[in-house]
Amino acid sequence: MNTKKSAWNKVQNAIGLSEANAADLNDERFLYLKTRIAKLEKSFRFARIPESDIGINEMLKSVLPLMAPKDPVGMEFERVGRSYDGGYVMVKHDAKDRIAYSLGINRDVSWDLDIANRGYDIFQYDHTIDKLPQDHIGFHWKKLGITAANQRTKELSSLDEQMRQNGHEDCTDMLLKLDIEGHEWSVFAELPSETLSKFTQIAVECHGFDRIQKLPWFRTTKEALENLYKTHQVVHIHGNNNSQLRVLGGFPMPKTFELTLLRRDICDFTACSRVFPTELDQPNNPNFADHFLGNFNYF
């Protein structure tokens, strides 16, 4: 009877019945509810708590070293583009071909304008707009989005295909900027090193880290970062403060990062001496505090 009463207390708390209802609860109904509560307790016991989940912790341990910034020896940094959202901190280094690819435009071409004013031709892609917010003689825009080659549609093309159409197969020193709302992972996961190596510097907004526990997202992201790591080194990192900083698997993580990567043959790299955000960084949203990331070297 004591065992039944103890179990009844769990049932009572779970379904909100008063103690007076106990007398009206027949044994069959009681056993059903007791079994149901036991199943619920078991499922809750193993439910993932993202902040402390050991699986997420292991996932992040496998990708965070690929994102850890290093200092480029003998190089300086500058901000390219506007203040706040739309600008990127990049290494001061000219790409000999004077060609840049800008994937994802929306309402902002400040990065494109800064680069075009240095004498570059900017090849721009965005299928979500009907015209550019501002024109420039160096702009070449197509109403196309960019994704992985195996995901192409009438609205979406691949970077390799557009480079072929533009006659850039033999170029070896170009710039690349991407803000394509998650498609960056599939793009980088499939691009061969031969194509990636054509870009001296890559500035990219990386989305979706709140989905780290989703295995398809994790696998594609890990493959993309490993692919980039072969040819480029992360030299700058910034957390986009338009979303909250979260703890995932024990690590403080923004939902979205901005990464700058420099091709490995351009210079030597040493351990990072900077703390992020740096004085060149701007919060994406000036109404919120910027995300403090330290030096982002966990290992």
Side-chain angles (χ1 to χ4, degrees):
M1 186 65 183
N2 288 338
T3 302
K4 184 175 180 179
K5 186 172 183 180
S6 175
W8 161 251
N9 289 334
K10 291 184 178 181
V11 173
Q12 175 189 348
N13 292 333
I15 63 177
L17 291 177
S18 66
E19 196 168 339
N21 294 123
D24 299 325
L25 196 67
N26 61 44
D27 287 343
E28 183 179 353
R29 180 63 176 166
F30 170 78
L31 289 173
Y32 166 78
L33 290 172
K34 180 182 176 181
T35 303
R36 178 65 178 152
I37 294 300
K39 288 181 178 179
L40 287 171
E41 286 182 335
K42 184 176 181 180
S43 66
F44 284 130
R45 188 179 306 130
F46 293 104
R48 279 191 162 182
I49 301 173
E51 290 80 1
S52 57
D53 186 84
I54 190 66
I56 294 176
N57 178 272
E58 292 300 321
M59 289 174 170
L60 286 171
K61 283 180 178 178
S62 69
V63 298
L64 290 182
L66 303 171
M67 299 168 59
K70 291 188 176 181
D71 290 341
V73 176
M75 309 295 277
E76 296 180 351
F77 289 90
E78 62 178 337
R79 185 174 182 85
V80 183
R82 67 183 184 182
S83 298
Y84 308 122
D85 202 18
Y88 292 85
V89 175
M90 301 184 70
V91 173
K92 290 182 179 180
H93 181 269
D94 285 330
K96 290 187 302 182
D97 291 315
R98 293 302 209 199
I99 292 169
Y101 276 76
S102 179
L103 315 183
I105 301 297
N106 199 357
R107 299 186 297 268
D108 175 42
V109 289
S110 62
W111 184 90
D112 310 60
L113 282 170
D114 270 5
I115 298 298
N117 286 333
R118 302 176 187 189
Y120 286 70
D121 281 303
I122 317 296
F123 292 81
Q124 302 160 302
Y125 295 86
D126 195 322
H127 65 297
T128 68
I129 59 176
D130 294 321
K131 65 177 183 178
L132 292 174
Q134 187 174 343
D135 288 322
H136 187 283
I137 191 172
F139 286 176
H140 311 277
W141 169 67
K142 287 185 181 180
K143 189 177 172 61
L144 278 174
I146 299 296
T147 189
N150 62 0
Q151 297 175 5
R152 288 178 295 179
T153 66
K154 290 182 178 180
E155 291 187 327
L156 300 173
S157 183
S158 68
L159 184 57
D160 263 337
E161 174 62 26
Q162 291 306 307
M163 288 170 61
R164 282 192 292 271
Q165 290 187 20
N166 296 331
H168 296 156
E169 297 122 306
D170 295 329
C171 293
T172 57
D173 285 279
M174 300 184 289
L175 296 178
L176 177 60
K177 186 271 291 179
L178 306 88
D179 184 1
I180 50 178
E181 306 303 324
H183 285 280
E184 65 273 4
W185 299 123
S186 57
V187 169
F188 286 138
E190 66 138 24
L191 278 178
S193 294
E194 180 183 359
T195 301
L196 286 172
S197 294
K198 294 179 183 294
F199 299 99
T200 58
Q201 204 165 172
I202 300 172
V204 54
E205 187 159 278
C206 301
H207 302 82
F209 279 86
D210 57 329
R211 302 172 58 200
I212 185 74
Q213 73 274 20
K214 307 290 185 182
L215 284 178
W217 183 92
F218 168 73
R219 288 173 181 144
T220 302
T221 298
K222 187 170 185 287
E223 186 177 356
L225 289 170
E226 288 174 339
N227 208 22
L228 281 167
Y229 194 77
K230 296 173 187 175
T231 56
H232 290 73
Q233 171 62 50
V234 174
V235 293
H236 191 86
I237 190 166
H238 180 251
N240 187 321
N241 73 333
N242 274 310
S243 57
Q244 293 181 344
L245 190 72
R246 292 190 60 189
V247 173
L248 294 172
F251 294 100
M253 294 288 294
K255 178 180 177 181
T256 303
F257 287 94
E258 294 160 355
L259 299 181
T260 302
L261 301 99
L262 190 64
R263 201 170 63 201
R264 292 187 176 277
D265 66 338
I266 290 175
C267 65
D268 293 326
F269 301 92
T270 59
C272 185
S273 61
R274 291 160 292 148
V275 172
F276 303 96
T278 68
E279 60 182 14
L280 290 173
D281 284 300
Q282 296 271 339
N284 297 76
N285 189 329
N287 297 311
F288 301 136
D290 215 351
H291 294 324
F292 180 78
L293 303 178
N295 68 3
F296 209 75
N297 279 260
Y298 291 107
F299 308 101

